[in-house]
Structures are given as structure tokens and as C-alpha cells.
Amino acid sequence: MPATRTWLKTPLATFTANDLDARGGLVLQDGLIVEVLAAGQQPSTPCGQVFDAREHVILPGLINTHHHFYQTLTRAWAPVVNQPLFPWLKTLYPVWARLTPEKLALATKVALAELLLSGCTTAADHHYLFPQGLENAIDVQVESVRELGMRAMLTRGSMSLGEKDGGLPPQQTVQEGEVILADSQRLIAEYHERGNGAQIQIALAPCSPFSVTPQIMSASAELANKLDVRLHTHLAETLDEEDFCLQRFGLRTVDYLDSVGWLGPRTWLAHGIHFNPDEIARLGAAGTGICHCPSSNMRLASGICPTLDLTAAGALLGLGVDGSASNDASNMMLETRQALYIQRLRYGAEKITPQLVLGWATKGSAQLLGRTDIGELAVGKQADLALFKLDELRFSGSHDPVSALLLCGADRADRVMVGGKWRVIDGQVEGLDLKGLIADHSQAARQLIAGV
């Protein structure tokens, strides 16, 4: 029996992340897009299922390329509401050090559900906390991703430079290099899927210049090269970080990155704000990727990523919500809107269009993760889709549907599909007890702050 073909028929509008005309809709089969129909076109053969999409704007599933799922437990915590990055981190590290497997599972599920409801189908998480009892943090996250039916790039983060050696993190959050590398190899062997349609992938992600040693940076780069996985870290987020690198290593951030073997197309960096023109040219020539995290950068007053300078130089660019303690939300549509507005402050209204930033959130983000099977509406791509309705009060009187998603502040998808399977229907995550999850997660958040 041939698999059922589904026609998402004549949508209200589409954003394809390419030049294709999809006004006639999409035909899906075996979890893939098999036809992209221009205005007035019909499927080449009859479809067993037809979904009338006339009220929906269809986008490729959004792709979040930097997050810290565990931080959903410490959103809007009063002691850090008005702090910049370094004091913010120092205040939160001791709280985060109390994380348990149960709390991490709840935090991850909340982050994923929130992302999914915002139209996000693939998320990269940067988990670098492995206190005693949480050595299998990534395994915990794998289970949550599978339960929600999303795709994820789970990065095995690390911190190896504690306070006593001049780093920022407290000693109870730091691991030895041998432990980090052994667990990295185990996770890649156990979970990393290759090729089109991969659900779980693993990358190596020493946390930042101020929390890991140059030795673990170099060793991670060698291991990633040997096992053909990607590399991720925070870089050039704040001027404090730049000062740290100059004082400790005698190098600016990009020089440091180069010195440990990270300047190349395998690497994508979170934030990438404080680069000079020479560094931007070097990043572009190396094909290194940058994840722009506008909400977090505004919340912590870190600065504005030079997006157009980076892409003009040849660097890849995607978007990320960053951690839910510096964004306080895990919503990719709102993040895309934020990118539109903050980048207009830097480059002007004419250059930063809704289509450009939606491209960063889809195809651009896919490129950061090294994926060519997601992020676009095209034949052969995964059927990862986000469908939005424009029937709420906020959209009344809007005229251009794609622009309206960002300008009028869409924040919740009506339907979301991953690999041809509906994961969100009528604005609800399939099979998820959302009220129960919120109750359990809220209790876990209170307990984490209280230290019980």
C-alpha cells in the first residue's frame, strides 16, 4: 500500500525561505514535502487527505539554535532582574548547582512545549551543568525530546575552570577534562543520528572562555573533528568577556577561538556581538556561524549583534531564544519579531525585512546546525511546518499575512507538524497534560530557589 498523500490546500499565505511559489499548497508523503504547488496548480495525483489551509499562513518549522532548557526554572527571579551578564551568572550559579534529574526533565519539557507552541520544530540546547547526581543530564533531555516528538541538537556543554582557578563558576559545577571528554564520546556513540530526518543530534559545547580551560576547548575541537560533530560555545557576548580574554590569554575573543582550533565551518557561536571589522572578516572567511539572541542581549544590556556585517563577510546567521533566565520566554516567533526590531535600530527599516528575519529563523538556523533537510518549503525537505491563523483581535485590519505575523505579534501557532505528524492541533500540544506540567514545573521552580 502506498503511503497516504496529504494536500495542505491553498493556504492564506506561505513563507518558503526560497523563491518557490507555494500558493497552491504542499503535498506531503512519508514525512516529506513531495510537491510544492504554485497558484492554481493541483497535485499530480489524487491525495487521500486534504487539509483546507485557507485560514493559515504556512512556514517551515522554526529552528532555535541556542537555548538553556534548564533555565525555565529561574525565570524572572527578583535578585537578577536588573543585573548584566557576569553578576547575573554569579548570582544564579549556586541555584543552578542544585538541579536534579527530575527538575531538569520538567524544565526541558516546559521549554520544548513552549517552543513547539510558537511554531518551533527543532531546537538546539546548550547544557553545561553536571553537578553531582546530574551526570546523565543529556540522557534526561533525550527522553523529553522524544516524548514531545520534536528534533533537537543537544550539545554536551562543560565547565572546567572554576572560581579557585580564576574562572566564574563555583567549584561544585566544574568537571575534570577526562570526565567531559569520556561522556562526550559516550553521548555521540549512543544518540547522534546522521543524515536526513535525524531527530536527535549531539554537538560539543564547552561553555565560554571564562568557564573552561583552553585545554578542553582544544580537545573538544579535536574530538569533534574526529567524530564529525559540530562545535558550539558562547563568544563575544559582553565587553567583560573580552576583558577576561585579554587579561587571561592575552588575546581578543576571535584570536582565542583560532588559538584553540575552533575557527571554521564546524563551529557556531552564541551571541557574537563584540567583533571588530577584522574579526568579522575572519569569521566570514572561515564560514563560522553566529546565533543572534536579541531578547537576551537586550535583557542583559549586552549589545547588538552586527548581523548584516557578518553575513556580508560570509558568516552564517541564525536565531536563538537563549536561556529562559535571560529571555524569560522560549518563543521563537517573538524572538524573530525582536530580531526584526533591534536590527532595524542598527541597519535601518529598508534593509531588515520580515522575510529576512524569518529566513534567519528557518533556513539560516538550519545551516548553523549543518542541516539541509529542514528550514525550507521545497521538494525533498522534511515536512516540518508551522501554521498560524490571523483570526485574533491583534491581527484585525492587517493586510499582508506574512508581515502581520511579526508586526502584529503572533506568538502561538494553530498547528505544528514534525516529520509529517501533527504535534500541535488547535493550539494544543498533542498528548500533553499542560496544566499538570505547569503545576509540577512551578513547584520544582519554587523548590530549586528554596534549596529543597
Side-chain angles (χ1 to χ4, degrees):
M1 285 285 292
T4 302
R5 287 160 56 86
T6 301
W7 180 16
L8 304 185
K9 184 179 178 181
T10 52
L12 175 65
T14 59
F15 172 77
T16 58
N18 53 45
D19 295 328
L20 295 175
D21 177 0
R23 286 177 292 173
L26 305 171
V27 179
L28 316 175
Q29 186 174 345
D30 293 324
L32 300 175
I33 299 170
V34 294
E35 292 185 59
V36 176
L37 304 175
Q41 277 191 321
Q42 299 280 318
S44 58
T45 57
C47 294
Q49 294 182 338
V50 177
F51 177 83
D52 184 350
R54 70 181 134 179
E55 295 184 352
H56 291 89
V57 182
I58 303 181
L59 313 178
L62 304 179
I63 299 167
N64 171 32
T65 57
H66 183 68
H67 205 149
H68 307 289
F69 294 160
Y70 74 89
Q71 290 183 12
T72 58
L73 293 162
T74 51
R75 298 201 243 220
W77 186 42
V80 296
V81 164
N82 302 315
Q83 290 183 329
L85 180 66
F86 273 25
W88 176 89
L89 279 170
K90 285 192 164 186
T91 309
L92 280 163
Y93 276 142
V95 176
W96 293 337
R98 300 195 285 260
L99 204 57
T100 64
E102 295 75 22
K103 289 181 173 66
L104 176 61
L106 287 167
T108 300
K109 227 172 282 186
V110 162
L112 289 169
E114 194 179 354
L115 286 166
L116 194 55
L117 288 167
S118 76
C120 177
T121 52
T122 300
D125 191 57
H126 189 180
H127 188 87
Y128 50 78
L129 275 169
F130 297 84
Q132 190 170 359
L134 195 61
E135 292 82 2
N136 291 332
I138 306 299
D139 305 77
V140 170
Q141 293 189 309
V142 167
E143 291 307 308
S144 295
V145 172
R146 287 177 174 164
E147 188 177 331
L148 270 291
M150 293 175 68
R151 303 187 201 277
M153 173 75 84
L154 300 173
T155 73
R156 205 300 181 182
S158 54
M159 298 198 292
S160 61
L161 184 68
E163 282 177 316
K164 76 176 178 65
D165 298 313
L168 227 62
Q171 289 306 123
Q172 71 263 40
T173 64
V174 167
Q175 288 183 304
E176 293 296 324
E178 301 78 35
V179 173
I180 293 165
L181 294 169
D183 193 46
S184 297
Q185 290 195 60
R186 176 187 72 83
L187 291 166
I188 294 165
E190 195 161 337
Y191 297 119
H192 185 66
E193 299 172 22
R194 301 182 187 275
N196 292 345
Q199 181 182 20
I200 305 283
Q201 294 190 311
I202 304 292
L204 304 185
C207 186
S208 62
F210 50 82
S211 59
V212 294
T213 61
Q215 290 78 14
I216 202 66
M217 289 289 286
S218 297
S220 296
E222 290 168 12
L223 185 61
N225 192 51
K226 177 184 169 188
L227 300 180
D228 190 24
V229 297
R230 296 184 87 73
L231 289 165
H232 184 52
T233 193
H234 299 93
L235 199 79
E237 182 176 1
T238 65
L239 292 173
D240 285 344
E241 179 196 322
E242 186 178 294
D243 291 341
F244 181 95
C245 287
L246 286 167
Q247 289 173 22
R248 188 171 184 93
F249 312 120
L251 299 168
R252 286 177 55 81
T253 53
V254 174
D255 289 325
Y256 174 67
L257 198 72
D258 199 6
S259 74
V260 291
W262 275 59
L263 193 58
R266 193 181 296 282
T267 299
W268 89 100
L269 307 168
H271 305 296
I273 296 167
H274 299 285
F275 297 133
N276 63 31
D278 174 64
E279 290 164 340
I280 289 171
R282 290 169 65 195
L283 289 161
T288 298
I290 310 292
C291 171
H292 177 31
C293 304
S295 296
S296 172
N297 296 161
M298 296 165 78
R299 157 81 147 75
L300 298 173
S302 302
I304 304 176
C305 177
T307 55
L308 296 191
D309 296 70
L310 285 159
T311 54
L316 303 176
L317 192 91
L319 295 184
V321 302
D322 199 13
S324 294
S326 66
N327 178 335
D328 307 279
S330 306
N331 189 304
M332 269 302 286
M333 276 304 284
L334 291 182
E335 200 62 37
T336 308
R337 183 180 201 239
Q338 201 78 287
L340 177 78
Y341 288 148
I342 194 171
Q343 290 300 322
R344 283 189 170 189
L345 285 180
R346 186 167 191 131
Y347 294 106
E350 301 91 346
K351 290 183 179 178
I352 306 294
T353 65
Q355 288 75 13
L356 178 69
V357 293
L358 283 168
W360 292 345
T362 52
K363 187 177 181 178
S365 284
Q367 290 174 328
L368 288 199
L369 303 185
R371 298 195 66 154
T372 57
D373 60 329
I374 56 177
E376 291 182 73
L377 303 184
V379 172
K381 306 294 182 184
Q382 297 293 313
D384 291 8
L385 309 171
L387 283 68
F388 290 83
K389 280 188 171 183
L390 304 183
D391 57 356
E392 293 176 71
L393 186 63
R394 74 183 79 184
F395 301 110
S396 182
S398 64
H399 299 274
D400 174 35
V402 173
S403 297
L405 292 176
L406 300 186
L407 299 179
C408 302
D411 64 355
R412 190 151 178 167
D414 180 61
R415 282 184 171 245
V416 180
M417 176 181 280
V418 184
K421 295 178 181 173
W422 292 117
R423 298 300 307 128
V424 173
I425 295 177
D426 298 332
Q428 304 296 320
V429 179
E430 285 289 279
L432 182 67
D433 174 10
L434 197 58
K435 283 187 178 177
L437 176 60
I438 291 170
D440 292 345
H441 179 263
S442 298
Q443 182 182 21
R446 290 191 294 272
Q447 290 173 341
L448 187 70
I449 294 296
V452 296

